[in-house]
Amino acid sequence: MNIIEILLSDRWLPAVIVVLSPIGAFLIDFLFTFVFKRFAGKTKTTFDDKLVSVLHSPIFYSAFFIGWMIAIQKTNNTYSGYVVSILLSFIIIIWARAIFKGFIEFIKWYGARGSNDKIFHQRMVPLFDNLGKLFIFLGCAYFVFMSWGLDVTGWLASAGIIGIVVGLAAKDTLANFFSGIFIMADAPYKENDYINLDSGERGYVSNI
């Protein structure tokens, strides 16, 4: 039996994969950085450069931990499933953190543009910022639960029922909340506009 056959045997293959995982992760990260940095360098905006920097760590650690997961599964150990779930949770958290940073950079970039387009007004930026962070956190929690084999369908159904109860109890507050969102999205008014209401009140819009 030659050295290659020994290394590829069931006894030594997990150890070989563990040793080669950081090398493979480095090569994958290097290729990604090389290709996308060249692409980002051709654009005028700095957002894509920051995005490449944000994705640098999750790509490296994903390739690194996936190699470890494959090696652990090859051992057929009793606790291998738990270790794989832990590593998969780490990958999900790392990607959620990167997506969170990338989203913040996008909000900063978009806010710096001072856009006045009809779809996304400047006043909507804080709203999208908060909603985006909330969805990223909920998505991360969902996939972490899934990585441990936990069925969250029942929890989602319970959350839906609780949401209906809260919505009925605070319908006036929610109505005002969504009305405010529609006003911000539609932008029928802007600062320094003079408004004359049907009820007789009138005045200038000082702040929204």
Side-chain angles (χ1 to χ4, degrees):
M1 182 178 293
N2 56 39
I3 187 65
I4 296 178
E5 292 177 344
I6 294 175
L7 293 176
L8 294 179
S9 62
D10 294 338
R11 180 179 179 181
W12 291 100
L13 183 58
V16 173
I17 295 175
V18 169
V19 173
L20 294 179
S21 292
I23 300 174
F26 174 78
L27 291 176
I28 293 173
D29 179 56
F30 175 78
L31 291 174
F32 167 81
T33 305
F34 177 77
V35 173
F36 281 89
K37 273 190 175 181
R38 292 191 62 182
F39 175 77
K42 297 179 180 179
T43 60
K44 296 180 180 180
T45 179
T46 59
F47 170 69
D48 46 9
D49 298 285
K50 294 179 180 179
L51 188 61
V52 172
S53 178
V54 167
L55 294 178
H56 166 72
S57 294
I59 289 176
F60 175 83
Y61 286 110
S62 295
F64 181 73
F65 286 140
I66 287 174
W68 278 25
M69 289 165 58
I70 296 173
I72 292 169
Q73 288 177 336
K74 292 290 185 181
T75 60
N76 295 321
N77 190 281
T78 306
Y79 302 100
S80 60
Y82 296 103
V83 179
V84 169
S85 296
I86 292 173
L87 294 177
L88 190 56
S89 299
F90 278 133
I91 293 175
I92 294 170
I93 293 172
I94 290 171
W95 272 102
R97 183 169 175 265
I99 294 172
F100 186 83
K101 286 184 176 181
F103 179 75
I104 292 176
E105 291 295 338
F106 172 76
I107 292 295
K108 289 180 180 178
W109 168 75
Y110 187 85
R113 291 175 57 198
S115 176
N116 292 316
D117 57 67
K118 296 181 179 180
I119 300 177
F120 299 110
H121 296 277
Q122 187 70 18
R123 293 189 298 270
M124 295 291 290
V125 170
L127 176 64
F128 287 123
D129 183 23
N130 293 327
L131 290 178
K133 292 174 182 178
L134 177 63
F135 282 118
I136 292 171
F137 173 77
L138 294 177
C140 175
Y142 174 78
F143 285 111
V144 168
F145 285 133
M146 292 294 292
S147 67
W148 286 91
L150 299 176
D151 187 7
V152 296
T153 305
W155 294 6
L156 293 176
S158 301
I161 296 174
I162 294 174
I164 294 173
V165 174
V166 172
L168 292 174
K171 58 181 180 179
D172 293 335
T173 302
L174 291 176
N176 291 332
F177 172 73
F178 286 108
S179 296
I181 293 177
F182 292 141
I183 290 175
M184 294 175 66
D186 191 47
Y189 314 110
K190 59 180 182 293
E191 293 180 4
N192 300 321
D193 278 356
Y194 185 77
I195 298 176
N196 190 0
L197 302 179
D198 294 336
S199 56
E201 293 87 353
R202 57 186 178 179
Y204 288 97
V205 178
S206 60
N207 187 28
I208 300 178

